[in-house]
Every structure is written in structure tokens, then in C-alpha cells.
Amino acid sequence: MAHTTPLRNPEDTKKTHNLGSLQLRHHESNQIILIPTPTNDPNDPLNWSARYRWYIAVVVCAAIFFCNFLAAGPTVAILEITADFYGAPQENPNFVADISKTAYFFTTTALMQGMGAFFWMPLIIKYGRRPVYVSSFVLYTICAVWAGASMTPGSELASRIIMGVAAGAAEVLAPLTLSDIFFLHERGTVMGVYTCALSAGVSGGIIVSGLISIKHNWRVIYWVSTALIGACTILVIFTFPETIYLRDDTATEAIRSGEETKVDMAKNEVTETEEAAASMVIPEKRSYLSSLRLYSGIYTQESILTLFIRPVVLFILPQVFWATLVMAGTIGFLVAITSNFGSAFSEAYNFQPWQSGLCFIAALIGAFIGIFVGGKFSDWVADIQTRRNGGIREPEMRLPAILVSVVTAPLALVLYGVGIHYKLHWICATIGLGLINFSIVQATNISLVYTIDCYRPVSGEITVTQMAFKSALGFLLSFYTNTWVLKSGYLNAYGAMAGISGGLLVLGVPFYFWGHSMASPGSRSFRGTALILYLRPGILFPKLSNMYRERFS
């Protein structure tokens, strides 16, 4: 079971917890403790108004929505795109094989979204969020125009590959930005909105693209997308500030170890920490133009090489490895579905592209429901256990909520495979689409927030690790989907996918019981992991080894 600490006196909580253990509620008043601890600096993102912070969250979610909007949207017109580049079915005897070639336009974009994260992450940590937001979205807009205007398969493929690299920045920037501007107890909900936008972008792009294809050429999909992405880019350039903030964590560490002075939070008494902070000189609030500077300095002295290698090394941590497989086993199978759903619905139900696209309305509905079950519900589950644990929050306390997806994810894939194979009523496969999107939002949000809570000092690199390897594994799944389905049929192929996804998700149960011991610096399992983290990179990368010793000791 998740590690519990029944002691309620802060003097009794001085023992060492794992990296994710935090005193989230005050021992006397049961009031929420703000983590991270906000400063008196008006430029501290945690001091910005709730309305402004939620505006930034909306822009962030719009950014990730539009990145996936164009990444998957044109797949609804895959038959038309294949005919345009390789010839119509009546004049092209290899048309079926050429559909697989056209699918590479979209699967490579999905792959490069993850691989692009490795490129962007060192720049995000070293130079801040804003420069990467602006440069990646300008590049993304250019690629949207390029893809829409391409006249050869080679040009189209090149534009989509670079588009994926540009879109990869938003996938890793969003969780980091939301962690910058929201407190720990708020992150479950806001991260639920993020994962919903991540998934809904695929569904929304397919729905809109399908409607466009009724009376227009597939290239119009790119022109509409360019307008939407361009509008988002303008918002990023003129309204999105730098959110990274180098704060002094002394007060936060005092709260974590239970060494804060006794305080009656219910009566809003001032603590010694607050008095000390009040005596400090308060910086002036940055002006609007100053907040929009493209370059605001260097935020770490670590080398780009160190920052690049760190996410790769983190993949061997048990929690990160499991969470990455969860993302790959849900999002990857959705990529697999979208890579050939147009031809599947056309073959099974004689649907036009716009009709197939409208079936993804169910996916949108599933994603929105997943916000609550993966965000607010998981926060509620974790908060109940936090109250019972004397106010100490353990990362594993939100894991029981993932049991919902243990049922819905396999069920979704079974419904889709059975519906297409037996040509059952189209609502069967459509419900499958809704449930798989629900499971993506619910399960990936819980697993992502869980790993971030476990290894908070390297939360950015944790996110990159999961996104990158998820995209690589998802690409492999989608790459072989058409071949797999042709050999095994929809029933067997998606039945196997259902078993894989269920097996990956149910691994959350042992992490709930023993995850704390795996992440505890004093445990044997952590020491075994640390041996690899410390010694092997230490031979080739001494500075990287020292960084891990400092952060995980």
C-alpha cells in the first residue's frame, strides 16, 4: 500500500521521506499548505492572479490542441491524399500499398513530436520557456503552409517531419509551464485539462478536417489549420510571458521536513518565514514589454550535453518506465487507429471521410469526461488518503484512480476491433473511440502527475522522457498496424492490443503498494537504480553523475 505516516505532530515528521513525500496539509488546522511556497516578488508566477494564470493555461492547452489538430487531422482524407500523390485507384494497381506510404506522412509526424522533445528540452531548461514557445510556433506555422503547398511526396514528408519537431516543443512545454504557475494541490485538475487538450486535438482535427473534405480539396485542411495555428502563434508572441522562476526553496524544504514554526493557519497568523520574507526588498513588477522579451537570461549553468542526456538516463527509473509504457499503450493505440480508420470505416460501413470524422465526436466527449476522472477525481482520491496520513502526501496516493482505465482501455479496443471485424452497427466502433480517448486522458494524466510528484527536482526531464519514448513506441505500433491488421484481422489485432493495454495499466497496483520503497533513497531498489544512474554515466559524463548525486542524495 502507499506509504503512510500516521504521526500528526510536525516534530515527528522529521524523518526522511522519498522525493515525493510532502506535508500538504497543516497538522492542526488541516489547511492546504501552498507548495511551492510563493515569494513576495510580484514577478513570481505563483503570485499572479488566478484569472491570469488560467488564461496562460488556456493558451498552453490551445497550443497543444492545435499541434495535434494538424498532426492527425488530414488522416481523414488519406484516400484522397494517396490518389493525389500516387494516382487514383483505377489507374494505380498499387493503390492499397500506397495508402501505407501516405500513412508515413502522419506517423512520422507523431514520431518526431517525441524525438523533437529531446532537441527542445535542453533549450527550455537553459534559456527559458518563452524563446522556445515563440520559435517553435513560428516554425510550426511555416510547416503548415509548406505541407499544404507540397506537390511531391518527398516535399510533403519533409514538411511533416519538421512539423513534428516543431510540435514536439508544445508537448513538453505545457506540463512545465503548468507546474510553474500552479500549486501542487491544483495540478491534478489543470494537468487533466492539458491531457484532454492533447487528446482532443486529434479528435477535433479529424472532425473539422472531415467536414472540410465534404466540398473542398484536402489542401484546404492545411489552409484552415494555418489560420488557427497562426492565431495561436500571435497570442503566444504578444501575450505569453516567461514563466520559469528561480525561487529559494528554503521555506518549502522547511515545510517538507516539518521544521516550520508552529502556526495557526486558520487564524492567518504570520510565520517567522513570512516575516523574514517581508523584510526583504521586493523587486519591481516587470512592465508588459519587459515580460515579452524573447531572451531573459540563462537559468542553469549545466551544459547542453548534460541536459540532453539526462532524460535518456531517467528512462530506467521504474516509475518513469511504467508511466511511459502507459502512455505508449494508450496514445500509441489511438495513433494506430487514426492511421487507418478512414479506410476501415469506408470498408466496413461505406462511410465518406466526413462521416468517419464525425465519429470522433465520441472521442471528444470521452476526453472531456476524462478531465474530471483523471484530474479532479484523482485529486480527491489522493486528498482523502492525505487527510488520513496526517497531511503527508505520497505520490502513490492518486494511483487507485487509474483502476477505471484498467477496465475502459481494453474495452475500447475490443469494441473497435469487434465492430469493424463483424461490421456491427457503427456506434459500436464509435463508442470504442470515445472510451480510448477517455482512457488516454484519465490514465496518462494520473501516471504523468505521479512520476512528476515522485521526482520533482527533474520534472521537466521526466516529461521529456515519457513524451519521447511514448512517441517512439507509438510510432512502431502505428507503423506495423496496417500489416498487423492485414495478417491477423481487426478482431485478433485489436484484441491483442486490448490485452497489452490492460496489462500495462494494471501494473499501477504494485506501484501503489511498493512504489514508495522503489523511490526511497534508502531502499535497495533505489540504490540499484542509482548504481546505474551514478556510476555508468559517471564514467562517460562525470558532471551528470555529480548532478544526480546532489539531487537524489
Side-chain angles (χ1 to χ4, degrees):
M1 192 167 96
H3 176 74
T4 57
T5 309
L7 301 173
R8 294 180 177 272
N9 191 323
E11 291 299 322
D12 296 327
T13 61
K14 291 183 180 181
K15 66 176 187 172
T16 302
H17 296 288
N18 73 333
L19 291 170
S21 300
L22 292 171
Q23 180 82 30
L24 188 61
R25 287 185 174 273
H26 192 263
H27 68 286
E28 291 183 353
S29 66
N30 204 36
Q31 293 287 324
I32 291 281
I33 296 174
L34 298 181
I35 300 175
T37 304
T39 66
N40 285 335
D41 186 353
N43 301 304
D44 183 349
L46 296 176
N47 288 327
W48 296 344
S49 68
R51 182 178 299 178
Y52 184 51
R53 289 187 291 128
W54 272 103
Y55 165 77
I56 294 175
V58 169
V59 174
V60 166
C61 291
I64 192 63
F65 177 89
F66 288 123
C67 282
N68 283 331
F69 183 92
L70 190 52
T75 57
V76 73
I78 192 170
L79 298 178
E80 184 182 356
I81 296 172
T82 304
D84 202 347
F85 282 119
Y86 297 102
Q90 56 269 25
E91 55 191 51
N92 179 10
N94 298 319
F95 186 78
V96 175
D98 289 336
I99 291 176
S100 298
K101 293 181 182 178
T102 304
Y104 294 160
F105 297 158
F106 311 109
T107 55
T108 51
T109 301
L111 172 66
M112 295 313 297
Q113 280 181 297
M115 297 299 102
F118 284 115
F119 167 75
W120 293 112
M121 192 65 212
L123 304 179
I124 293 169
I125 295 177
K126 196 169 186 69
Y127 302 108
R129 323 298 193 219
R130 179 168 166 76
V132 175
Y133 264 118
V134 174
S135 56
S136 65
F137 267 83
V138 169
L139 178 61
Y140 191 78
T141 306
I142 293 171
C143 288
V145 176
W146 179 8
S150 293
M151 302 304 295
T152 64
S155 176
E156 182 73 11
L157 181 61
S159 67
R160 298 282 309 187
I161 288 173
I162 300 175
M163 179 190 298
V165 174
E171 281 201 348
V172 293
L173 274 167
L176 294 177
T177 304
L178 297 177
S179 295
D180 289 340
I181 62 177
F182 287 95
F183 295 103
L184 176 64
H185 67 281
E186 302 171 316
R187 289 179 191 168
T189 300
V190 74
M191 288 295 286
V193 176
Y194 155 71
T195 51
C196 175
L198 183 69
S199 179
V202 175
S203 308
I206 289 173
I207 293 169
V208 174
S209 297
L211 294 174
I212 291 173
S213 69
I214 297 176
K215 293 185 178 180
H216 299 282
N217 184 274
W218 64 269
R219 297 182 186 274
V220 177
I221 296 172
Y222 283 96
W223 308 141
V224 173
S225 300
T226 299
L228 295 172
I229 295 165
C232 189
T233 302
I234 291 173
L235 286 178
V236 168
I237 293 174
F238 291 104
T239 68
F240 201 95
E242 179 59 64
T243 61
I244 192 170
Y245 185 82
L246 301 179
R247 64 182 70 254
D248 182 5
D249 288 334
T250 303
T252 302
E253 293 301 324
I255 292 175
R256 290 180 185 178
S257 61
E259 294 176 353
E260 77 275 27
T261 57
K262 191 171 182 179
V263 56
D264 185 358
M265 297 184 68
K267 296 181 179 179
N268 297 317
E269 293 183 3
V270 180
T271 66
E272 293 179 4
T273 303
E274 290 172 333
E275 290 173 351
S279 64
M280 297 173 61
V281 177
I282 301 176
E284 292 185 4
K285 184 176 177 59
R286 287 194 297 265
S287 66
Y288 168 74
L289 291 178
S290 177
S291 68
L292 296 182
R293 287 183 300 178
L294 196 59
Y295 175 76
S296 55
I298 295 176
Y299 293 91
T300 179
Q301 297 302 317
E302 293 176 295
S303 69
I304 294 292
L305 180 61
T306 297
L307 297 173
F308 175 80
I309 295 171
R310 193 183 302 161
V312 181
V313 178
L314 287 170
F315 186 61
I316 66 174
L317 290 170
Q319 288 88 343
V320 179
F321 182 72
W322 169 70
T324 304
L325 292 179
V326 168
M327 298 183 81
T330 51
I331 297 176
F333 289 136
L334 178 64
V335 173
I337 289 173
T338 57
S339 67
N340 74 341
F341 85 95
S343 58
F345 275 79
S346 175
E347 180 183 323
Y349 309 116
N350 199 29
F351 274 12
Q352 297 297 315
W354 66 271
Q355 293 173 306
S356 302
L358 287 178
C359 291
F360 272 80
I361 292 176
L364 276 180
I365 295 172
F368 287 129
I369 297 174
I371 293 178
F372 171 78
V373 184
K376 196 69 176 178
F377 176 69
S378 69
D379 279 345
W380 177 72
V381 169
D383 198 44
I384 289 177
Q385 297 183 76
T386 301
R387 292 171 184 265
R388 295 173 179 173
N389 194 34
I392 300 292
R393 166 69 61 85
E394 300 289 346
E396 292 78 18
M397 290 178 176
R398 69 175 64 249
L399 286 181
I402 207 170
L403 292 176
V404 177
S405 287
V406 171
V407 176
T408 58
L411 178 61
L413 294 164
V414 167
L415 287 174
Y416 183 82
V418 169
I420 297 295
H421 179 82
Y422 290 111
K423 298 183 180 180
L424 302 179
H425 194 280
W426 58 267
I427 196 65
C428 180
T430 302
I431 291 174
L433 292 176
L435 286 177
I436 191 65
N437 252 32
F438 165 83
S439 303
I440 287 172
V441 175
Q442 204 263 347
T444 59
N445 181 63
I446 292 171
S447 61
L448 179 60
V449 175
Y450 168 57
T451 54
I452 289 175
D453 287 348
C454 281
Y455 303 105
R456 194 169 295 103
V458 284
S459 59
E461 295 89 332
I462 289 288
T463 305
V464 173
T465 302
Q466 294 183 60
M467 294 298 178
F469 284 100
K470 171 268 298 180
S471 295
L473 294 172
F475 172 77
L476 291 175
L477 289 171
S478 60
F479 188 84
Y480 290 106
T481 296
N482 289 329
T483 305
W484 191 0
V485 170
L486 285 174
K487 288 185 177 180
S488 304
Y490 282 96
L491 183 65
N492 294 328
Y494 281 95
M497 293 182 195
I500 294 170
S501 64
L504 294 174
L505 288 165
V506 81
L507 287 175
V509 174
F511 275 100
Y512 175 72
F513 287 100
W514 299 292
H516 177 271
S517 62
M518 294 180 189
S520 175
S523 69
R524 293 180 180 179
S525 59
F526 188 90
R527 287 173 181 171
T529 304
L531 184 64
I532 302 174
L533 286 173
Y534 294 169
L535 300 184
R536 293 188 179 178
I539 297 172
L540 300 176
F541 311 103
K543 292 183 179 179
L544 178 65
S545 176
N546 293 336
M547 183 280 299
Y548 273 103
R549 286 194 179 93
E550 290 173 4
R551 291 202 175 182
F552 289 111
S553 61

